[in-house]
Amino acid sequence: MTPTSIECPDLEVLFTELEAGEGPALEHAEQCPLCTAIIEEHRLLEKDLCRLADPLPPADLVHKVMARVAAEPTPVRRELWTGLSILGASLMMGLGLLLTSDAALSGLGKSVARTLVGGTAFTEALMSGVHALWNTAAGPLVALVAFVILSSVFGLKRLVRNGPTPSEA
Ligand SMILES: [Zn+2]
C-alpha cells in the first residue's frame, strides 16, 4: 500500500475543488500522476473552449486585414476609399462651415473670401445665405455634420469588423 494508492477522487469533486483552489481531492491530485494528467487535460480543454467562446484578436490582425484588402477584393477596397473620402469630405464641410460662418461674422474675413473667390455677388449671396442659415439653424447644421462624420466613422469600423471572420480563417 503506497501513498498514491488512496482511491482517486470523483472527477466532479476534483474539478469543483480545482475551481475553488483547495480541497482534499486537489491535495491528492498533487501526489497522483493520474489525477495531475486529468487536471492538465482539463485545463487545456478549458483553454480551447475559452478561445472558441471569446476569440482574442490575434496580434497580426492589422496585417491580416491589410493583406486581405490588398490581395482580394476591389469592392472592399473601393468601399474603404469611399468611406475615407466621405470622412474627408465631411471634415472639409465642417471646416468650411466654420470658416464661412466666421467670415460672414467678420468683415475682414468676408473681404478676404471675396478677394479669393473674385468678389462676385455670388460670394455675397453665399455668405449671407450661410450666415442666415447659421443663425437660424446652427444646431441642426452641427448635428447634421456630426451625423455625417459619425456615420462614416462607424461605416469604416463596420467594414473592418466585417473583415476576416472565424469561419473564413
Ligand atoms: Zn488520483
Side-chain angles (χ1 to χ4, degrees):
M1 198 143 171
T2 65
T4 53
S5 73
I6 307 164
E7 222 172 287
C8 285
D10 193 74
L11 283 186
E12 212 172 313
V13 176
L14 184 63
F15 290 149
T16 306
E17 288 184 11
L18 189 66
E19 256 172 64
E22 57 178 0
L26 206 57
E27 271 165 40
H28 156 87
E30 277 168 19
Q31 312 294 324
C32 169
L34 187 67
C35 288
T36 305
I38 290 174
I39 287 179
E40 176 67 10
E41 202 179 327
H42 175 74
R43 202 176 57 80
L44 288 176
L45 190 69
E46 208 169 41
K47 210 165 82 177
D48 279 348
L49 283 176
C50 280
R51 205 177 320 160
L52 278 179
D54 180 27
L56 287 174
D60 58 342
L61 178 69
V62 174
H63 282 280
K64 275 185 182 166
V65 170
M66 291 319 284
R68 189 191 155 94
V69 168
E72 181 197 329
T74 328
V76 166
R77 213 186 305 181
R78 197 165 50 219
E79 238 182 289
L80 186 69
W81 281 117
T82 308
L84 284 176
S85 21
I86 289 174
L87 184 64
S90 313
L91 290 175
M92 292 293 280
M93 194 169 108
L95 192 65
L97 204 65
L98 271 175
L99 288 179
T100 48
S101 65
D102 275 348
L105 289 174
S106 87
L108 180 67
K110 198 198 273 184
S111 66
V112 168
R114 199 187 292 136
T115 314
L116 284 176
V117 184
T120 58
F122 173 74
T123 319
E124 200 73 40
L126 186 70
M127 287 303 176
S128 57
V130 168
H131 193 182
L133 194 62
W134 185 255
N135 278 346
T136 54
L141 223 57
V142 169
L144 179 72
V145 172
F147 171 76
V148 172
I149 291 176
L150 282 179
S151 58
S152 53
V153 167
F154 280 128
L156 281 176
K157 273 190 175 173
R158 188 172 49 88
L159 189 68
V160 170
R161 208 178 307 135
N162 282 349
T165 63
S167 61
E168 284 169 317

